[in-house]
Amino acid sequence: SQQGEEDPQALSIQEGENATMNCSYKTSINNLQWYRQNSGRGLVHLILIRSNEREKHSGRLRVTLDTSKKSSSLLITASRAADTASYFCAIGGKLIFGQGTELSVKP
Amino acid sequence: NAGVMQNPRHLVRRRGQEARLRCSPMKGHSHVYWYRQLPEEGLKFMVYLQKENIIDESGMPKERFSAEFPKEGPSILRIQQVVRGDSAAYFCASSPSRGGGSGNTIYFGEGSWLTVV
């Protein structure tokens, strides 16, 4: 299966702390994308990292990619209550999603 | 620049009725994808279309489900004779050209929530 698998399934932290979510996959990829989904809403694209990139930043987000381990991580620094959402990694041309990590940031 | 527009946002159908979900891609996007999300699960790919063509329907159930993306107008996901198990959120996404694996961002709509009673 190409499916990305996120870990942990759920994460609860305090505002201001950092949150790290991991994604593992099984096939070779051209790129990997991370999305956020607030409850009852659509998916918001966060970041795309290509297979020849090791790290990418966007604001408080930092994504790493290790193609030798077939894994990626999403780090959210200085988290805010508004970061509370589910986070998904997706791979492949038609996007194969994992189950997601449910992040809860407590004020 | 409007995003991916889906309607209706919420739809209630009785068992056996038909559900039609519409999706207008972002301006300039000719590639459309449909996904289904069951409660507390991730999104599952259903179908990938370009204008007037179905490119990949490997995720579509074999019966009752169909999708189209005509030359003019929105993409339609049609579910005939709905059953309770069809209750889910259906998301449409679009990209300007072949998405994901080619490095193109795929943008999502807000979803259509189907409830079958």
Side-chain angles (χ1 to χ4, degrees):
Chain A
S1 165
Q2 282 185 300
Q3 185 173 340
E5 308 253 344
E6 292 91 347
D7 167 63
Q9 284 190 314
L11 180 61
S12 182
I13 59 174
Q14 294 293 132
E15 212 166 26
E17 294 180 337
N18 296 342
T20 300
M21 289 158 271
N22 302 297
C23 168
S24 60
Y25 56 91
K26 295 179 181 176
T27 63
S28 60
I29 59 171
N30 292 327
N31 58 68
L32 183 145
Q33 306 194 45
W34 283 92
Y35 286 83
R36 183 188 75 221
Q37 184 182 31
N38 289 83
S39 182
R41 303 295 299 274
L43 274 73
V44 174
H45 183 262
L46 296 176
I47 205 162
L48 180 153
I49 186 165
R50 299 179 193 280
S51 58
N52 62 353
E53 296 176 310
R54 290 295 167 260
E55 188 170 310
K56 203 161 181 180
H57 297 254
S58 176
R60 293 183 297 111
L61 306 181
R62 174 178 155 236
V63 167
T64 62
L65 179 64
D66 187 336
T67 52
S68 65
K69 294 181 179 177
K70 290 187 167 52
S71 68
S72 174
S73 67
L74 170 66
L75 168 67
I76 304 174
T77 60
S79 63
R80 305 167 182 168
D83 295 328
T84 294
S86 292
Y87 291 82
F88 297 90
C89 66
I91 61 173
K94 57 195 182 190
L95 293 186
I96 307 297
F97 287 86
Q99 295 290 92
T101 292
E102 196 172 319
L103 174 66
S104 174
V105 182
K106 300 185 188 314
Chain B
N1 186 14
V4 179
M5 304 300 292
Q6 288 188 248
N7 70 82
R9 288 294 313 278
H10 297 276
L11 181 63
V12 179
R13 285 286 178 264
R14 295 188 185 281
R15 279 178 294 172
Q17 291 185 318
E18 178 179 288
R20 282 190 182 225
L21 309 177
R22 286 175 289 278
C23 169
S24 296
M26 285 180 73
K27 189 176 180 181
H29 288 194
S30 58
H31 296 240
V32 164
Y33 313 77
W34 285 94
Y35 297 82
R36 176 166 63 177
Q37 186 176 35
L38 294 169
E40 300 189 22
E41 290 191 11
L43 276 76
K44 303 295 184 190
F45 168 79
M46 298 181 76
V47 62
Y48 164 38
L49 311 102
Q50 279 183 269
K51 284 283 187 181
E52 302 184 273
N53 289 305
I54 296 175
I55 307 301
D56 183 342
E57 56 181 348
S58 57
M60 287 280 270
K62 297 286 183 248
E63 297 177 347
R64 303 186 298 108
F65 284 71
S66 63
E68 62 177 10
F69 188 17
K71 188 177 180 181
E72 302 291 338
S75 175
I76 307 286
L77 179 67
R78 183 181 176 208
I79 311 171
Q80 296 177 288
Q81 299 170 8
V82 296
V83 301
R84 288 228 171 101
D86 296 333
S87 295
Y90 291 84
F91 290 94
C92 173
S94 73
S95 61
S97 56
R98 195 169 185 90
S102 303
N104 295 304
T105 298
I106 296 178
Y107 296 90
F108 282 78
E110 288 291 307
S112 290
W113 266 256
L114 172 65
T115 301
V116 180
V117 297

